[in-house]
Amino acid sequence: MNKAICPGSFDPITNGHLDIINRSARVFDEVTVGVLINPEKKALFNVDERVNLIKRVVKNIPNVKVESFSGLLIDFMKEKKIKVIVKGLRAVSDFEYEFQMSLMNKKLNPDIETVFMMSSAMNSFLSSSSVKQVAMFGGCIRGLVPEEIIPDIVKKIDEVHKNY
Ligand code: PNS
């Protein structure tokens, strides 16, 4: 079976992520969305919330599963017997960081390949942080994230605001 992983922070998942996941699911037999547990990075959603948001939006793609992981990506991939990483590239500015990461993963495990997919033009300006910023200041995030999770993002941002 041809397996791949789409790893990331997904705080929260955007239409850009979903596009890459959807397209990966057409290329590979099974796609795992790997949500990084990173205690050093302050996230808006905790990891279980992020996993659940993703599960809701990929529920109709039968060959996609969602799991969290901590530590090195290559160790998680070894455990799951996955050999391919799929990453989206939005612009030239993503290249350097992604290139560095793919070389590091290759150094850590030469059997791993990273495959890059160009993001669709309409998503090329999208990032989780810009979505959070727009939502934080009351801007419209329709069209940026899957419709069904908009209320969750608005509610979470309201809660965070109240605690300040
Ligand atoms: O959505 P992000 O934050 O750009 O995703 C980055 C991610 C999760 C793919 C990357 O940080 C990662 O793989 N982290 C796990 C730690 C690791 O394996 N590091 C070695 C490669 S530099």
Side-chain angles (χ1 to χ4, degrees), residues 7-10 36 41 69 71-74 87 97 101 104-105 108:
S9 306
F10 304 101
L36 177 67
K41 207 164 153 182
F69 74 98
L72 288 178
L73 176 59
I74 53 133
K87 297 296 304 268
Y97 171 66
M101 241 184 336
M104 180 58 84
N105 284 323
L108 295 170

Side-chain angles (χ1 to χ4, degrees), residues 152-164:
D152 300 77
I153 298 172
V154 171
K155 185 167 171 262
K156 176 64 86 175
I157 290 208
D158 273 355
E159 284 168 14
V160 171
H161 263 182
K162 268 187 220 135
N163 292 330
Y164 272 97

Side-chain angles (χ1 to χ4, degrees), residues 123-150:
N123 296 322
S124 61
F125 63 95
L126 253 180
S127 68
S128 296
S129 17
S130 61
V131 165
K132 283 184 279 193
Q133 206 169 75
V134 170
M136 196 81 76
F137 293 108
C140 176
I141 55 170
R142 185 150 290 124
L144 308 181
V145 295
E147 194 73 21
E148 62 263 52
I149 70 164
I150 293 179

Side-chain angles (χ1 to χ4, degrees), residues 13-126:
I13 185 166
T14 67
N15 282 346
H17 295 130
L18 189 55
D19 175 51
I20 300 292
I21 295 166
N22 253 311
R23 286 160 59 199
S24 304
R26 282 189 230 129
V27 176
F28 296 93
D29 298 322
E30 186 184 280
V31 173
T32 300
V33 180
V35 183
L36 177 67
I37 304 169
N38 186 355
E40 281 165 24
K41 207 164 153 182
K42 199 171 162 7
L44 179 62
F45 291 96
N46 69 39
V47 75
D48 291 336
E49 291 168 333
R50 281 181 271 153
V51 166
N52 286 330
L53 291 177
I54 304 169
K55 280 188 175 164
R56 270 162 51 196
V57 301
V58 301
K59 65 177 186 297
N60 294 325
I61 323 173
N63 57 336
V64 172
K65 44 179 166 177
V66 190
E67 297 195 40
S68 58
F69 74 98
S70 55
L72 288 178
L73 176 59
I74 53 133
D75 289 338
F76 178 63
M77 291 174 70
K78 194 171 191 179
E79 185 192 315
K80 299 288 167 188
K81 298 185 169 52
I82 303 172
K83 295 255 171 74
V84 181
I85 303 168
V86 180
K87 297 296 304 268
L89 277 186
R90 288 164 298 189
V92 181
S93 49
D94 279 344
F95 179 79
E96 207 164 330
Y97 171 66
E98 294 296 344
F99 185 50
Q100 205 176 38
M101 241 184 336
S102 71
L103 289 181
M104 180 58 84
N105 284 323
K106 192 82 182 160
K107 156 82 181 69
L108 295 170
N109 182 352
D111 290 338
I112 299 284
E113 291 298 342
T114 305
V115 170
F116 292 102
M117 269 187 195
M118 299 313 297
S119 61
S120 305
M122 62 187 178
N123 296 322
S124 61
F125 63 95
L126 253 180

